[in-house]
Amino acid sequence: MAEAGAPASQSARFLILYAMAAAGGAVAYVPLLTVLLPVRVSLLAGDQDVVWLSYLTFGGAIAASLANIAFGWLSDVTGHRRRWIVTGLGLSSTMLILIGRAETFESLIGFIILWQIGLNLMLAPLAAWAGDCVPDHQKGTLGGLLAFSPAIGALAGSFVTFPELALPETRLTLVAGIVAAMVLPALLFGRPKPMPQLMEPIEGPAAHSEKRSSTRTVIAAMWSARLLVQIAEAALFAFLFIWLRSISSTFRDSDAATVFSIALCVAVPIAMIAGRLSDRLNRPIAPLVIFVSLGALGLWIMAVSTTLTNAIVGYLIFGITTTVFLALHSSQTLRVLPRPQNRGRDLGLFNLTNTVPSLIMPWLTLLLVPSFGFSGLFVLLGLLTAAASLLLAGLAMRR
């Protein structure tokens, strides 16, 4: 029984099953985009694989951006989340299977675009569902649980490519099965407690609601801070191996995968502790400031590193702290959105911070690395990340 006057809390069962479903969303795209799609493209395109992959990545990013906003908005309008999630799960799973069997570039790009539409048909209402069900005083805890998503996504990529586990043409079928097994329990057995206070429409200026709304300045700061960090994340994701290989010619791709995995796994318990503490202390923004500042420090360590050990230490500081930051930021974003009736649409606009960096990052790299080397790139990325910390520090002092 809750104490008289205490705010209602969501059940631990729903929080855990929801976190598992969110991790299933990561499994739906991480193995494909990082391993299985490049392999498929190489088999079909030969020496044109880079060109094919560039077109596929660009087209997929555009489709994902538009679909996330559209389906988030539609789930707002209809007042249903779970029906959209199930439909998206079915469409994206079907497309995964077809991608594994595509024989031409035209069919592959068509399946990829339809897969992105289906994936975001699932992910957009899934993200908004958390805002419907998880009260503010549990959003830090939710953020800690969301840190499992990137780690499980990476582990799924390793699992489905394990030798002799599945044939190359059936690996994406295995991925689709894993995603369904992780998403469906939340829909079938989550049974979240109703939180009517989270669903009351807010009309007119939203800045007067102290807890569930925010000024445009706050929203812009949260959006901009995430975008700046995601630009740095995208650059490191794409070029970490090349940079480390330039420091030590003995560094292997498997070593890079190990470094990535360590950062993701270590981030999970740190995010859970930090999220829980932020709930207890009612300081939702302070952990974001701390972790993004440490991320900038990690980038600057990388900028001055001349040995493999120092380079890996710098990346681990960056990788761990920004993984924690992104997980906690995802849940705290739900706190600052201005109107519950537009929650899905607004989260779709925040999702642009996940897709736009893939369009910005290559140009930054081409402008800086030939003239200033990777050190120049890391200095700039560190400045961008530090700017994110300053934006959020201003919010922390206000809230």
Side-chain angles (χ1 to χ4, degrees):
M1 296 290 291
E3 296 181 9
S9 296
Q10 191 52 260
S11 67
R13 174 180 62 191
F14 176 75
L15 291 174
I16 292 170
L17 290 179
Y18 179 85
M20 186 169 73
V27 172
Y29 63 84
V30 172
L32 175 64
L33 296 181
T34 59
V35 180
L36 300 179
L37 181 60
V39 169
R40 190 67 185 166
V41 169
S42 295
L43 289 174
L44 295 177
D47 58 3
Q48 293 295 307
D49 55 353
V50 174
V51 176
W52 276 36
L53 196 57
S54 298
Y55 281 119
L56 290 168
T57 301
F58 184 82
I62 297 298
S65 300
L66 297 176
N68 200 279
I69 296 171
F71 291 122
W73 172 74
L74 283 171
S75 72
D76 290 334
V77 171
T78 61
H80 300 292
R81 308 289 191 200
R82 280 178 280 191
R83 295 175 187 175
W84 291 102
I85 296 169
V86 170
T87 304
L89 174 63
L91 177 59
S92 61
S93 296
T94 301
M95 290 302 108
L96 278 176
I97 295 170
L98 293 176
I99 288 168
R101 300 175 181 177
E103 296 295 339
T104 66
F105 175 71
E106 291 76 15
S107 63
L108 185 59
I109 195 169
F111 292 148
I112 287 291
I113 290 174
L114 288 174
W115 168 74
Q116 284 282 20
I117 292 171
L119 178 67
N120 286 277
L121 173 54
M122 177 179 74
L123 293 181
L126 182 63
W129 194 27
D132 300 342
C133 301
V134 182
D136 283 357
H137 69 275
Q138 288 182 295
K139 286 190 168 72
T141 300
L142 174 66
L145 291 170
L146 292 178
F148 278 98
S149 295
I152 292 177
L155 290 174
S158 299
F159 174 72
V160 299
T161 56
F162 193 81
E164 300 181 5
L165 177 66
L167 296 173
E169 58 270 22
T170 61
R171 285 172 177 167
L172 285 170
T173 303
L174 179 59
V175 170
I178 295 171
V179 173
M182 297 183 72
V183 173
L184 288 176
L187 303 177
L188 297 175
F189 310 115
R191 295 195 293 274
K193 297 178 184 178
M195 294 285 168
Q197 77 278 14
L198 300 177
M199 301 299 294
E200 297 173 3
I202 297 176
E203 304 297 341
H208 299 297
S209 177
E210 182 178 349
K211 291 185 178 180
R212 290 180 357 203
S213 63
S214 179
T215 63
R216 291 181 179 179
T217 301
V218 172
I219 296 170
M222 289 286 283
W223 192 93
S224 300
R226 188 178 182 95
L227 176 67
L228 293 172
V229 174
Q230 288 281 51
I231 291 172
E233 278 267 314
L236 267 295
F237 187 79
F239 296 104
L240 178 68
F241 172 70
I242 295 174
W243 171 61
L244 291 175
R245 187 66 180 264
S246 70
I247 295 175
S248 173
S249 60
T250 61
F251 193 80
R252 301 166 297 178
D253 55 355
S254 59
D255 297 326
T258 299
V259 173
F260 272 122
S261 299
I262 290 172
L264 294 173
C265 292
V266 172
V268 171
I270 296 174
M272 294 183 69
I273 294 169
R276 185 66 173 165
L277 283 175
S278 73
D279 285 342
R280 289 190 174 186
L281 300 175
N282 194 26
R283 297 294 302 275
I285 305 299
L288 302 181
V289 177
I290 293 170
F291 287 110
V292 77
S293 300
L294 290 172
L297 175 63
L299 284 165
W300 289 329
I301 291 174
M302 294 168 64
V304 299
S305 295
T306 57
T307 67
L308 185 61
T309 299
N310 290 341
I312 291 175
V313 168
Y315 172 74
L316 287 175
I317 294 173
F318 169 81
I320 292 167
T321 56
T322 53
T323 299
V324 175
F325 166 83
L326 292 172
L328 297 180
H329 187 284
S330 294
S331 63
Q332 298 302 345
T333 295
L334 298 170
R335 180 191 295 265
V336 305
L337 294 179
R339 293 181 175 86
Q341 66 268 30
N342 296 329
R343 182 174 284 136
R345 180 204 66 186
D346 293 344
L347 283 171
L349 295 173
F350 262 89
N351 185 65
L352 292 174
T353 63
N354 299 325
T355 54
V356 169
S358 64
L359 306 178
I360 297 174
M361 175 272 298
W363 300 107
L364 280 179
T365 304
L366 290 173
L367 285 172
L368 291 173
V369 173
S371 300
F372 303 101
F374 279 106
S375 292
L377 176 64
F378 296 151
V379 168
L380 176 61
L381 295 179
L383 291 172
L384 295 180
T385 307
S389 72
L390 293 176
L391 287 171
L392 295 171
L395 299 188
M397 290 186 290
R398 295 173 53 183
R399 297 180 70 82

